[in-house]
Amino acid sequence: LRVVACSSPEEAYTMIQQSIACDDPVIFFEPKRRYWDKAEIDTAAPLDGALPLDKARVVVPGEDVTVLAWGPLVRTCVEAQLHVNVYCDDNLYVSEITPGAQFYSKINLDLPMHVVGDLNSWLNAEGRHEPTKLVIITEPEQTDSTLAMFTEIYGDRAQVTKSHPRFTELTNRDASKGRALSILAAQYGIPREEVMAIGDGYNDIAMIEWAGWGVAMASVPQTGRDVARIVSPPLSEDGSADTIERYVL
């Protein structure tokens, strides 16, 4: 059994024909977004030049079902001419060294970057692991619109959040600071009611909401302050220290 989901008009045109010609049973999904996107298709291009259905990157191998992926998130970034950092196996990969990449590396203690050229081709290589996180780097005035665009397109399949005035992050839908905190608390046997979490950004909201003592600093968006137990002064006014001294020590 093959389960096929296309990520572009070109793939839809090619893969539906490959699915029809395939000797195996095929379940073909055409995402709703395919009806929004329009593109010119080269109908004269021979199918034998297309990537076969079983040659995409293997994400989860199995005896009955094998999950394949072609990296549509990265494709969307490239098409929108956005710089994207790709995390894979805890390493950072970029297509080229851009000012955005240099900025990201610098504020992360000169984090090493691996330049791989075309990210789509690199990700689709056989045996490549699924990325664990994508970071889209824009100018601050572009971040909110980038966040909105990717939330609209991928919000039902990935967690889309803002971790910095210039960063839009995409991760597995189940990967959040709130979920991580709940797992950590369970491992140490600490009740939720006794956990304090202090956050100062958009991507801290899930953690603030989960913790029994959720603390939102003044820089957190209103949605984060609404679910917090405490709203503290900003980082510039030692909000974390003030909260810990007042409620913990």
Side-chain angles (χ1 to χ4, degrees):
L1 173 65
R2 302 183 187 223
V3 181
V4 176
C6 51
S7 65
S8 70
E10 295 89 344
E11 288 177 4
Y13 177 78
T14 301
M15 296 171 78
I16 188 66
Q17 296 180 75
Q18 291 175 315
S19 298
I20 293 171
C22 184
D23 293 331
D24 297 321
V26 177
I27 298 176
F28 189 90
F29 289 102
E30 192 167 52
K32 179 173 63 176
R33 183 170 176 245
R34 293 287 61 76
Y35 296 98
W36 304 342
D37 291 349
K38 307 297 180 183
E40 294 291 332
I41 305 297
D42 182 8
T43 58
L47 280 182
D48 55 12
L51 187 68
L53 288 181
D54 61 349
K55 294 301 182 183
R57 179 167 45 86
V58 176
V59 177
V60 181
E63 296 180 359
D64 300 313
V65 176
T66 294
V67 180
L68 308 174
W70 284 13
L73 286 167
V74 172
R75 180 192 298 272
T76 303
C77 294
V78 172
E79 290 176 350
Q81 297 183 330
L82 297 171
H83 175 86
V84 58
N85 290 346
V86 175
Y87 277 91
C88 189
D89 296 332
D90 292 327
N91 292 310
L92 174 60
Y93 298 90
V94 297
S95 60
E96 59 181 332
I97 301 296
T98 66
Q102 292 174 323
F103 173 78
Y104 185 88
S105 174
K106 183 177 180 180
I107 69 169
N108 284 281
L109 304 177
D110 292 323
L111 184 68
M113 296 178 287
H114 303 277
V115 180
V116 296
D118 186 288
L119 281 169
N120 270 319
S121 300
W122 182 80
L123 282 170
N124 289 334
E126 188 171 354
R128 193 79 65 207
H129 291 179
E130 185 75 0
T132 51
K133 181 170 70 173
L134 303 183
V135 183
I136 303 167
I137 303 172
T138 56
E139 294 303 319
E141 61 272 15
Q142 298 174 297
T143 305
D144 286 344
S145 60
T146 302
L147 178 69
M149 179 181 75
F150 279 84
T151 299
E152 179 181 359
I153 298 172
Y154 297 110
D156 60 337
R157 289 169 282 168
Q159 179 178 205
V160 187
T161 188
K162 181 167 72 173
S163 59
H164 180 277
R166 295 187 61 184
F167 304 156
T168 299
E169 289 192 2
L170 297 99
T171 59
N172 183 287
R173 190 165 176 78
D174 294 327
S176 70
K177 292 186 179 182
R179 180 169 172 79
L181 190 59
S182 69
I183 294 172
L184 188 63
Q187 288 178 346
Y188 285 94
I190 302 173
R192 179 178 181 178
E193 296 75 16
E194 297 180 12
V195 175
M196 174 178 281
I198 304 174
D200 67 346
Y202 190 100
N203 63 334
D204 293 322
I205 294 176
M207 174 181 70
I208 294 169
E209 184 175 16
W210 183 87
W213 288 81
V215 182
M217 304 186 80
S219 56
V220 173
Q222 187 62 48
T223 51
R225 298 197 294 272
D226 289 344
V227 300
R229 183 168 181 173
I230 301 165
V231 176
S232 76
L235 185 64
S236 59
E237 298 177 16
D238 297 326
S240 294
D242 177 79
T243 301
I244 293 172
E245 289 177 355
R246 183 175 302 186
Y247 297 99
V248 180
L249 300 180

